[in-house]
Amino acid sequence: MLGRGVKRKWSCLEELEVETLPAAAAEKEKNEVEEEEQKDEDGLLASPSKSDMSHLQQRQRVLGLCLEKLQRYQAGVELSLRRSVLLINTLRQIQEDMQSDGVGTCAPEVLLNGVHSDSCILREDMPVTCPGCAEGDGGNLSPPLSPESSSQEATSSPDQQKSLPAATINAFSDAVNAMGYLSDLALDDIFEDIDTSMYETSDLPSAWASSSLWPVSVSLWADEDVKMRPPGHASAGGLQSCLMDLNELDHIMEILVKS
Amino acid sequence: MAGPGGDMQWCFSQVKGAIDDDVAEADIISTVEFNHTGELLATGDKGGRVVIFQQEIENKSQPQFRSEYNVYSTFQSHEPEFDYLKSLEIEEKINKIRWLPQKNAAQFLLSTNDKTIKLWKISERDKRPEGYNLKEEDGRYKDPNTITSLRVPVLIPMDLMVEASPRRVFANAHTYHINSISVNSDNETYLSADDLRINLWHLEITDRSFNIVDIKPANMEELTEVITAAEFHPHQCNTFVYSSSKGTIRLCDMRASALCDKHSKLFEEPEDPSNRSFFSEIISSISDVKFSHNGRYMMTRDYLSVKIWDLNMENRPVETYQVHEYLRSKLCSLYENDCIFDKFECCWNGNDSVVMTGSYNNFFRMFDRGQRRDVTLEASRENSKPLQVLKPRKVCAGGKRKKDEISVDSLDFNKKILHTAWHPQDNIIAVATTNNLYIFQDKVN
């Protein structure tokens, strides 16, 4: 991103943008030409799958871009409040769109293929399905993007649902962390005397997460988790080990209660 | 070829700034503003500097050469700072410059970066006192006992020196980034607006300001809208407007209450459902709001259009002009490369008959309200011969591209004109490309 008061040559940025722009424009042009052709062929009563697919494709793409942009702004590079609000509102809109689409059907293979190349943030080996395609709990609208639910559903449909890894959640939390001025308080102050922060969400970004923006109901503060975790669980992937701790705790409680 | 404003033809006059294509980031122009007479033209850049150009006295013997603008003063207005609490740098980029009406020989302007507003005094010195008999040749002061005569120094002419000095620093009043400043018609107060709050200042008082608008929710997770621009009414000192990222404009009356959270009027156009997309909200975000000189209208700029509002009608604008509608089908790409977040400004001409705004590919657009005509012009080095008439440009949205037209995919989205200004009385315009300032004037027949 742009430095501060540093005389950096514009040509570096130009190179970056020149790379993205023709590619993006060309790709979008191609997609749109295809979309328009389909629409023209089918007329107003377009077969739902075709127009839905382009809509879903675009939605997935915008979703990926949204997350990428929020992730991109690491600490030290400020994300303007206007931009972050617009991005988050777009995320909300996509989420509402997904939820309203939840009862619709679409071929998961098609969606996966469409998502594969377009989505920037998702890795090659971790495709995402839309809620409508989620197998597992019938009619359950909780999308498989939640690592919590995915760990539960992992056994039911492992081939279709892979959780958005902690990487994405961390990315989101990093981005939201970087929005330092959204909370006027130093975040450490809030967490000082709370020892259940591992389990609860707190403050605005995780509040955003819990209040229906993103169906992730675990704490986003991966860093905090590293601090709070009892020694002996010092591995990376803090989120997963927290969940395992939770499960272990439950297990232990069960045993204690039974005896 | 006739253009907006009757038979107005725009000619190249001057270009300021480096010629080479390698742009140093600090030289990127971030604001342009004429003063109230149009004699002075100020620019601010990303490096925190202000450059003021002055119009030379017209050359009566050669009337076809309109007066030129030459550098009058250059100074460093803001320096980069560091916010230790949040570990964030505060950019020195000048977001806005606003001139104060001239009251005496000196000129005053307000310049602001993200956090701090400064009042600068620009004064001329063209005489210096000579003839003191208080010092020796080498500069040491003489022993007073040796001075036997009273000699009054005489002012003698010297080369013009323009000095800029900071007279007031208005700091520590904004948690969020300042996007607008606006001087009140009472010439005593001004407002500064950031993403969530608007403060009212007295020009003489720097240690306190009054908060007049606060849209920060108690719970930041409920934040869905930010303030994007604000301006005082040109004549009514109690009235100001502010625009939002959701495409609304609120008009507030400071007489109603101390905290103007309740608007007097809310200007909003209902959304066109056929144009709804994931980008609808982003492109509806208003990037600039400007009152007309006569105070009866205001103009707003969103990503694709310019809208003129009658202050007496809240439910829809009275005029809408499409700046670059051909971009509507490209919104996803523009979202990808962040261009969709670009904030274009707009401006009125002196008699409110024509409005102007920038676009991509170094194009800028003018809309003649009375004659219902619009034109697209380009600011480029290729069209920079003295008094060269600018040829109207046309973008081909699709289908067969005619000769002289440029296709949408050939547009250079790195060349954006975000800042333009119109001389308050004459047909002289200042158009800022990335690091160059172009001055155009209409052809004197």
Side-chain angles (χ1 to χ4, degrees):
Chain A
M1 287 307 291
L2 302 180
R4 244 156 268 290
V6 174
K7 277 194 178 232
R8 212 197 300 160
K9 294 296 184 189
W10 185 249
S11 51
C12 323
L13 293 159
E14 217 173 35
E15 281 160 14
L16 282 171
E17 293 212 23
V18 161
E19 280 163 17
T20 355
L21 197 74
E27 200 189 78
K28 189 59 195 164
E29 181 76 10
K30 197 181 69 160
N31 285 343
E32 271 164 1
V33 165
E34 286 169 355
E35 283 171 15
E36 280 167 31
E37 282 172 2
Q38 285 165 7
K39 283 178 186 154
D40 287 338
E41 283 167 36
D42 300 334
L44 284 170
L45 301 170
S47 55
S49 56
K50 276 187 183 165
S51 51
D52 277 354
M53 188 174 77
S54 53
H55 172 78
L56 282 166
Q57 268 185 334
Q58 190 186 64
R59 185 175 72 194
Q60 210 60 42
R61 182 173 175 183
V62 176
L63 171 62
L65 287 171
C66 235
L67 290 173
E68 186 198 342
K69 286 176 196 303
L70 285 167
Q71 173 194 22
R72 195 195 298 167
Y73 296 97
Q74 305 299 321
V77 182
E78 269 189 281
L79 175 62
S80 87
L81 189 60
R82 168 183 169 258
R83 200 177 286 209
S84 57
V85 166
L86 289 173
L87 286 171
I88 298 212
N89 286 352
T90 309
L91 268 181
R92 282 204 177 107
Q93 190 186 340
I94 291 175
Q95 199 209 3
E96 280 165 17
D97 201 58
M98 276 174 157
Q99 284 176 345
S100 67
D101 258 8
V103 291
T105 54
C106 72
E109 305 87 353
V110 167
L111 186 61
L112 287 176
N113 289 337
V115 162
H116 236 38
S117 49
D118 285 349
S119 176
C120 325
I121 196 169
L122 303 173
R123 309 289 183 268
E124 293 284 320
D125 50 342
M126 286 180 258
V128 171
T129 62
C130 70
C133 309
E135 286 172 32
D137 310 355
N140 183 6
L141 286 183
S142 80
L145 302 170
S146 159
E148 202 176 33
S149 55
S150 75
S151 63
Q152 293 159 8
E153 293 165 347
T155 46
S156 53
S157 50
D159 54 324
Q160 202 143 53
Q161 294 169 23
K162 292 192 181 151
S163 63
L164 266 188
T168 309
I169 309 298
N170 288 348
F172 188 45
S173 77
D174 280 348
V176 157
N177 264 333
M179 300 184 224
Y181 48 77
L182 286 179
S183 83
D184 299 329
L185 305 167
L187 295 166
D188 287 341
D189 293 342
I190 305 167
F191 294 137
E192 249 169 34
D193 52 359
I194 303 174
D195 58 6
T196 54
S197 65
M198 196 172 13
Y199 312 117
E200 289 171 14
T201 60
S202 60
D203 209 78
L204 53 96
S206 30
W208 265 337
S210 62
S211 66
S212 79
L213 164 68
W214 203 248
V216 176
S217 51
V218 294
S219 168
L220 291 183
W221 304 115
D223 291 341
E224 297 302 318
D225 290 335
V226 170
K227 266 196 269 170
M228 303 294 278
R229 224 182 297 129
H233 292 271
S235 58
L239 224 48
Q240 299 297 345
S241 22
C242 276
L243 296 168
M244 275 158 29
D245 291 344
L246 262 174
N247 291 335
E248 278 174 13
L249 207 60
D250 281 348
H251 187 60
I252 293 167
M253 285 305 296
E254 265 180 22
I255 296 170
L256 288 173
V257 163
K258 276 181 190 163
S259 66
Chain B
M1 204 182 301
D7 289 320
M8 210 158 50
Q9 292 184 72
W10 290 97
C11 311
F12 170 81
S13 174
Q14 297 170 275
V15 61
K16 307 283 185 192
I19 297 174
D20 59 12
D21 285 329
D22 239 2
V23 179
E25 214 173 292
D27 294 337
I28 295 171
I29 298 171
S30 50
T31 184
V32 182
E33 187 82 357
F34 280 100
N35 77 334
H36 293 270
T37 60
E39 183 206 355
L40 297 175
L41 175 60
T43 61
D45 64 22
K46 203 157 191 250
R49 292 165 304 197
V50 171
V51 181
I52 301 176
F53 302 93
Q54 183 189 42
Q55 197 178 26
E56 296 296 316
I57 299 165
E58 236 175 272
N59 193 338
K60 294 272 195 291
S61 61
Q62 289 181 303
Q64 71 271 25
F65 285 104
R66 273 284 183 79
S67 26
E68 287 200 334
Y69 282 85
N70 298 317
V71 176
Y72 179 67
S73 173
T74 304
F75 56 93
Q76 186 76 32
S77 172
H78 286 72
E79 298 278 358
E81 287 172 55
F82 195 76
D83 181 339
Y84 293 96
L85 185 65
K86 292 172 189 153
S87 279
L88 290 170
E89 282 188 57
I90 301 171
E91 268 194 312
E92 67 275 31
K93 173 169 73 87
I94 308 295
N95 292 335
K96 284 288 183 327
I97 289 174
R98 289 288 183 264
W99 290 93
L100 268 57
Q102 192 173 11
K103 276 198 269 194
N104 51 38
Q107 301 278 356
F108 288 86
L109 61 78
L110 287 170
S111 71
T112 186
N113 69 347
D114 285 337
K115 295 287 185 181
T116 305
I117 307 128
K118 293 187 185 180
L119 176 70
W120 287 89
K121 175 181 177 184
I122 297 105
S123 47
E124 290 184 1
R125 193 197 292 261
D126 62 356
K127 297 179 190 50
R128 61 187 167 86
E130 271 259 325
Y132 286 103
N133 61 344
L134 300 172
K135 290 187 188 172
E136 303 282 6
E137 295 277 325
D138 57 4
R140 284 180 302 139
Y141 278 100
K142 283 182 185 167
D143 180 1
N145 297 322
T146 65
I147 301 170
T148 52
S149 63
L150 178 70
R151 201 183 322 163
V152 179
V154 177
L155 290 173
I156 62 165
M158 60 178 251
D159 287 340
L160 178 67
M161 199 166 71
V162 181
E163 299 171 317
S165 57
R167 305 302 288 179
R168 306 269 186 278
V169 177
F170 305 91
N172 302 321
H174 285 279
T175 310
Y176 306 100
H177 288 185
I178 297 173
N179 53 54
S180 312
I181 47 175
S182 177
V183 184
N184 203 347
S185 51
D186 66 7
N187 290 335
E188 285 187 354
T189 57
Y190 75 95
L191 64 76
S192 58
D194 66 28
D195 293 311
L196 298 180
R197 297 193 179 100
I198 301 179
N199 293 331
L200 180 72
W201 301 84
H202 192 285
L203 284 164
E204 300 291 327
I205 300 169
T206 59
D207 62 354
R208 54 179 183 273
S209 68
F210 292 99
N211 178 244
I212 52 177
V213 173
D214 188 340
I215 65 167
K216 183 181 177 195
N219 220 342
M220 277 298 272
E221 78 212 35
E222 291 164 7
L223 179 67
T224 57
E225 195 173 5
V226 298
I227 297 169
T228 53
E231 193 176 61
F232 265 120
H233 191 277
H235 312 311
Q236 295 165 15
C237 58
N238 53 285
T239 305
F240 66 93
V241 293
Y242 68 92
S243 60
S244 83
S245 55
K246 283 196 169 170
T248 64
I249 309 101
R250 286 172 176 79
L251 184 141
C252 301
D253 186 336
M254 294 196 291
R255 296 170 300 188
S257 71
L259 188 59
C260 300
D261 278 356
K262 286 207 192 78
H263 51 265
S264 299
K265 294 191 186 186
L266 173 67
F267 298 83
E268 189 175 11
E269 184 173 26
E271 196 189 352
D272 179 2
S274 65
N275 271 337
R276 181 133 182 87
S277 73
F278 292 117
F279 312 110
S280 294
E281 184 180 316
I282 299 178
I283 64 169
S284 75
S285 173
I286 291 172
S287 50
D288 195 15
V289 64
K290 291 268 171 50
F291 278 104
S292 62
H293 290 96
N294 61 19
R296 289 172 47 202
Y297 300 96
M298 66 177 175
M299 163 168 57
T300 58
R301 175 70 155 98
D302 50 69
Y303 190 64
L304 295 179
S305 68
V306 160
K307 295 178 181 172
I308 313 275
W309 303 78
D310 184 321
L311 294 184
N312 297 315
M313 188 160 76
E314 297 167 60
N315 58 355
R316 60 179 176 80
V318 289
E319 293 152 40
T320 302
Y321 301 104
Q322 300 302 333
V323 181
H324 35 218
E325 182 68 11
Y326 46 78
L327 294 182
R328 193 179 288 274
S329 56
K330 308 285 178 196
L331 289 178
C332 202
S333 307
L334 295 163
Y335 179 76
E336 190 162 4
N337 63 19
D338 282 343
C339 282
I340 206 174
F341 297 106
D342 286 337
K343 292 189 288 183
F344 292 94
E345 292 174 9
C346 53
C347 60
W348 298 83
N349 74 338
N351 61 11
D352 300 331
S353 61
V354 185
V355 297
M356 171 169 67
T357 189
S359 179
Y360 294 104
N361 208 70
N362 281 348
F363 288 171
F364 58 100
R365 302 264 285 138
M366 284 186 195
F367 303 95
D368 188 324
R369 301 173 61 209
Q371 307 214 350
R372 303 256 149 220
R373 271 199 292 224
D374 62 86
V375 71
T376 305
L377 300 170
E378 182 180 359
S380 72
R381 292 272 173 183
E382 287 80 45
N383 303 327
S384 304
K385 289 199 272 296
L387 299 182
Q388 178 180 3
V389 176
L390 294 180
K391 203 174 64 165
R393 305 303 309 262
K394 189 122 169 56
V395 177
C396 163
K400 271 184 88 71
R401 187 176 73 86
K402 299 197 192 78
K403 183 174 176 285
D404 285 348
E405 280 186 0
I406 181 168
S407 77
V408 182
D409 295 315
S410 310
L411 294 175
D412 188 341
F413 289 92
N414 290 324
K415 293 186 179 168
K416 47 193 95 172
I417 291 178
L418 303 173
H419 312 288
T420 59
W422 204 309
H423 190 289
Q425 280 130 28
D426 288 339
N427 282 329
I428 301 172
I429 56 176
V431 172
T433 59
T434 306
N435 67 327
N436 286 145
L437 183 72
Y438 286 80
I439 299 172
F440 302 105
Q441 58 193 36
D442 78 336
K443 190 171 177 180
V444 181
N445 291 317

